[in-house]
Structures are given as C-alpha cells and as structure tokens.
Amino acid sequence: MSPAEKGDGTANPTPAENSTINGGNTSEKQSKTELELQLAAAYVSDAQYNRNVCFEKTPQGIRLYNLYNHWGMLLVTYFFIILDLALAVFEDPALIPLPLWATFLAELICLAVFTGRLVHFAKVIPWQKFWKDTKNICVVLIILLTLVDMLIYGSMKAFGYYGVRWSRVLRPLFLVNITEGRQVRRAFRSIRNTLPEILYVFLLFIFSILIFSLMALKLFGKRKLVTNEGTPYFTSYLDIVFELYVLVTTANSPDVMMPAYNSSFFFALFFILYILINTYIFMYVFLAVVYNNYRKHLKEEMKNLVRAKRHKMVEAFRILQVKHGGEPVVCQSHWNQLVRLVQPDISNSHRELLWSVCDEDKKGFIGKVAFLQLADLLNIQIITLKSHIHPLQTWFPHLYNSHPSRLVCQMVQHKAFVYVYDFIIVVNAVFIGLDEENPLISNAEWAFLVLYMLEILLKLYTYDPRSFFSRHKFWNWFDTIIIIAALVATTVNFALKSSDGYTSRQVLDIVFILRVLRLIRIVDSVKRFRTIINTLIKIGPTIITFGQLIIVVYYIFAVVGMEIFKDKIKFFAPDSTASAQNYCGNPLLKDTAFAQNNYCRNNFNDIVSSFVLLLELTVVNQWHACALLTSGFTTVTHTAARIFFVLFHIVVVIIIMNILVAFILEAFFVEYTLAKSDLQTSVEKKIQELELGIQQDKLDETLVGNMETHENELGPSELSKGKPTLMFKIASKRYRTVDALLQRIFEDDLSPEDSGSSSEDHEGDPDNPLSPGFNFQNPSFDGIN
C-alpha cells in the first residue's frame, strides 16, 4: 500500500489486481504504480482543463509538465505579459516618461522570462514536436525581432537619430501565442475562418457605397450647395465615399443630409433609401453572416476539442484498468489516488460523493463509461456545508435556548426581516440623494447607521460568527465593512466639522456611494432580475476571452496610431494661459470644428489616451470628417489618415464586435433556457439520496450563490433540525473553463462519439498500459492547440 492509500478508508487492490497492473512483476510495484498514477493524473487534468500538449511520458517529463501547468507559473507568465504591455505607458510617447535604459531593462527581463518559459516547454514535449508547433515558432521570432529592434533603436538614439520602435506591435502576440492562450487563439482562428464569407458581403457593401457615391456626385455636385462650414457640398468623389461610409454608422446623421434636404424635400429620399439598404440591411446581413459562419467553425473546433478530451480520458482509463471478470475496470483505491493527484484540495467527503455517483451499484470498481465522466464531475462546483454550534449556545445554553431568544432567532431568519431591511436600504438611498445640509437629513443618517448596526448584531446573535464571516459570505463582509466605514467616517466628520480641501465629508460621500451598492441586494431578491444577472455572470469568462482579443487589436492600433499621430495634437490644462490651446497646439487646427469643440485631449500622445480614443471610435460617435475626430487628424497629417480610422472600424466594429454580439446571444440563450446537465442532475440526486442535501427551495441560486464556490457554513438552525453536520449543494451552473461553456452550447450538435460515450478503443496491449499503443499521442487538431 502506498502512503497515499493509508487512512483513506478505501479498499486495497487485490493481489490479482496488483499482478495485472504490474504485469506480474511485484518487485517494481511501487515505482511503476506511481508513474502510472502520475501519467493518468496528467491526462485527466488535461481533459478537465482542455489542454492538448504532447508531453514526454517519462517521470521527469511528467514532473516538468505538472510544474509547467502550476498556477504559480501561469501567474508569473501573465504578470510579465502585462508588464511587457504596460511598458508603453513609460516609452516615448509616454504618459510617465522613464529613461530608455529602464524600459529596455524591464523588457529584457520580460523577454528572459518568456524565453525561460519557452525552454521549459521544450523540455516538456518531444523536440521534433516543439518545432512543428506554430505558436512556439511565433514566440521565438517575436523575441528575436524585439531584440533586433531594441539594438537598432538604442543605437539610433545614442547617435541622436530618430527611431521607431516597430516591434511594440508584436507585444500583444505573446498573449495569443502562449500555451494558455488557447481561447484567444481559437477566437482568432474562428475570425480567420469566417473572413472569406464576410469578404463577399463586404465587397457587395462597398460596391453599394461606391454606386450611391457616384449618384450623389451627379445629383448634388453641380448644384453649388455648401455645408454649414461654408465648404462645397459633395463635389469630391472620395470625400463623398467617406461621408457615405460614415453615414452607415449614423455618426454624421442628419448633418450630411441637411444641405441637400434644405435645397429640396425630395433629396431626402436618396438618403432614406441609402440608409435602408446599407445601414439596416447590409449591417444586419453582416451580423447574420458572422453569426452563422462563426458558429459553424466554432462547432468544428469544439468537436475536435471534445474528441481530444475523450482520448485523454480513454488513455487514463487504460493506464489504471485492471481485469475483473474479463472486463476492464478501475478500482476505488486507484480512483481515489488519481483524484487526489488531479485535485489535491478536494475534501474526502467530496471525493466520496463523486465516487458514489460513479459507482451506482457499490461494486468497489467502475467501468469505462463511468470513468470517462470524471473530468466533467470534477468541473461541477459543489459547496461543502458544515454545521457549527453557536458559541452562545455553548457558553449560555439556557439563555440562548430560552423562548425569547428563539423568538429573536426566528424573526431574523424570517423573510420579512430581509424585506424590512431592503426597504430601509431604499429609503436610505433616497435620503443620500437629498440635501445633506438639512439638519433633518443629516441626523437621519445616524438613525440608519443604528439600524444597520442592529442588523449586524442580530445576525451575529442568530448565526454562528464562523458562518456569518466564512470566506465566501460576500454580502456579510460587504455590509459589515461598509457599515463600519460609514460609522467611523460619520463620527470623524461630526467631530472635525472640516470644510476645506479633501475633507472627511468627501470621504463620507465615497462611503455613501458604496452603500448605494447595497441596492444590488434588492435586485438580487427579484427572481427574474436574478436570472438575468446570474446568466451574465456565467458567461463572464467568455466575455473576458473576447476582452483579451479586443485588447490585442486595440494595442496594435494604439501603437501604430502613436507612431503616426504623436504630438500632432496637444492637450492643455484648463487653467493654461497658452494661446496655443485654442487650436490644440497645432496652427493647422485654427478655426476648425475639432478645436472649437475642445477635442484636444482626443490624441495619440500616450497609450492611455490612445485607448480612450479607440474606445470612442468603437462606439462610432462623431468620428466623421464633418465634425470632429477624423477631421482633426486628417487636417494635421493627410487625407490618407482616413484609411487608419476606416480600417479600425472594419476590424473592430464590423468583424470583432459582431462576433462578440453573436456569441453573447448564443451563450445567453443557452444559459437562460437550458436545464441542468445530466451529470449535474446525477450529483444532485446522489446528494438527496444520501440525505446530505439542503432543500433547494430554501437555497435558491442567487447572485451570492454564484460567488460562493468552495466551502461554506451552516448556521446552528440546521443542527436543531436534526440535519447532518456535513452537507452538500451544487454551487451554481457556472463553468470552470470557457471550453466547458462552449461544449454546453454545442452539446446537441455533438455526436455520441464526440462526447465520449462511444465504446471504441485504440489498439494497444491491455496488459501493459505503458506499451506503445497506450503511450497516447495527443491529436494535433488545429482547433485545440
């Protein structure tokens, strides 16, 4: 028996089982079994987190692979990626200027970390596999190109020449090409695969704009119409193309139409027809094409992912299988050791619960079909609830168990108590919005504080403090911190009566704002609101994935924009007396709409300003040539600068944002309407069967329930009801990984073979789990790497 098996209360493998596992060689039992378990654990962990890395199957290779996937290593990697991206804040053009040697040193450290991570990965997988992986080659090239650029740029600066840090546009590619960036790579692949279909619609859309522009030139060009600024109206074909393209975004409506409309009522029909065809029909066709093709390619990616996941679990089963009555099975002791290796923090009770779900007939072993569910079972989030006796019940049992005491506890536990304090929160929010100089309003704040303190004290009296302040009791911690902060700030404000500068009064105002957030509790108490909020929380990881994609695109455009437009437009503080502030520091902007509307802060003079400007362009508000953003940059550079802004609109607004909308719609519909998965239902049934469950009508999913994902506490009331001291409930329907949500979306489209319920096996020696047939080569699907 290995040390991991001692004291776990599980059955030991029989001599026959040990002989089968070790091929009859009992002298190598311990070392060989340890290698088998480590390899099987690596496969199950890969299946759980949808990794697809062809690692070396040696003891050293498995140890290096486990270290490579350790959360600490991932945290360090992401930290240095963020640091590398953040260097743009300190580089020319800089928000916070630093010496060149300082930014170079920081970047060299980042590159050293990325190189070390790459070398580590090269030690994990076979050498020939390493150089066949495109993302590894990309990382090597990015590092080399960055070093070359640093050498050239540093040399030019040393000799006083102007240089361009062109390698900065490559920095976001580290985020895409690291091994852990599989979701971002999948998003980019889906976009790449969707582009051909989008291209045909886009060409037709451009053709429509060109035709309408030609008609506008012939219709309005000779009528000597002028704009509000006094410039000729629709006399240049290229200007007309740009104006009509902007009209699709509605950013220059109705300004672009007004000169023609003022000339004749019937000219409005031209613009109405144009908007109907291009703004409404073509834009929604874009969305439909993006949605249809993106979903199709994403489904293929998920098929590949699920197949790879199934193969991982099949190989883990083959490694651990023993013969029982001629059938391959996995015994409970090996299953327990495997689960400990895959998820070391899992409690014994949680592990036993999962085993009871797998081993429905209590045979002490499970077959292949039950074993293949392990990765999905580990992804179901289960809360372990523990009951504790209230300290007052231990110290003063007669007093705490008296009738008045029980009455107070029942009152606090009643729903009416929650409703009363929800009403108090609403009334307090109204008072916060009123004039605080009024003595009645000011004194009322003390009354609300007393009521809130009373709420906390009553809850601490009713519920065990360990339960009340357990790790994931979000609202209890939030309420207590806010109330104590408000009490302290109110007391300090009353004592000091300060009125100048940043006073305690302003600190109290901030606390008031935070207290308004308690209104979320009221929203959370309405079931329909709660359903929507929970759905948004569940698709949150997916939104984060697309957020990374948008950051990559934003960063590239921001760096390019800074190199093209830096210092062309300058911002002056409001109290500045410089005359140049009237034209944003550039004489070319004198008397322009850009300067008159005080848009000087919309510039590319640093990375933060660039990101803000790109966000403004994303919402397609006022970036047209008639008024403001684009006109300012074309005025100080060249008309060709419009290409930069149109390209950004096409990439971000038409392609990426449409894909994001399509995916959010799909995920929202699935989460909003889909019932629980069969596996999750099986776990809940087993919890109720073992009488270790909490009544679900009393623990309905709430916003807080979605935040509490690990261990929780039961109040003393559960003990008084004769409940067990250890109980379980499903935490929520959230997913540990984005891939799990994607699999849920497409589960109706996946065949049984894809989902892992097929009984087909790969060829190999069943008596030697580490034979060549079992030394599984991970499928190198393009959709998974």
Side-chain angles (χ1 to χ4, degrees), residues 553-569:
V553 177
Y554 265 42
Y555 196 94
I556 293 173
F557 274 96
V559 170
V560 173
M562 286 191 296
E563 294 296 343
I564 298 174
F565 304 114
K566 66 179 178 180
D567 296 329
K568 300 291 185 182
I569 297 173

Side-chain angles (χ1 to χ4, degrees), residues 131 205 367 601:
W131 289 110
F205 165 69
R601 195 152 198 168

Side-chain angles (χ1 to χ4, degrees), residues 68 73 110-123 143:
Y68 185 84
M73 299 291 287
C110 293
L111 294 179
V113 172
F114 300 149
T115 303
R117 182 75 170 165
L118 200 64
V119 171
H120 188 170
F121 189 67
K123 296 288 186 180
I143 292 174

Side-chain angles (χ1 to χ4, degrees), residues 543-556:
I543 306 303
I544 293 175
T545 297
F546 279 95
Q548 295 179 55
L549 187 150
I550 292 174
I551 287 175
V552 170
V553 177
Y554 265 42
Y555 196 94
I556 293 173

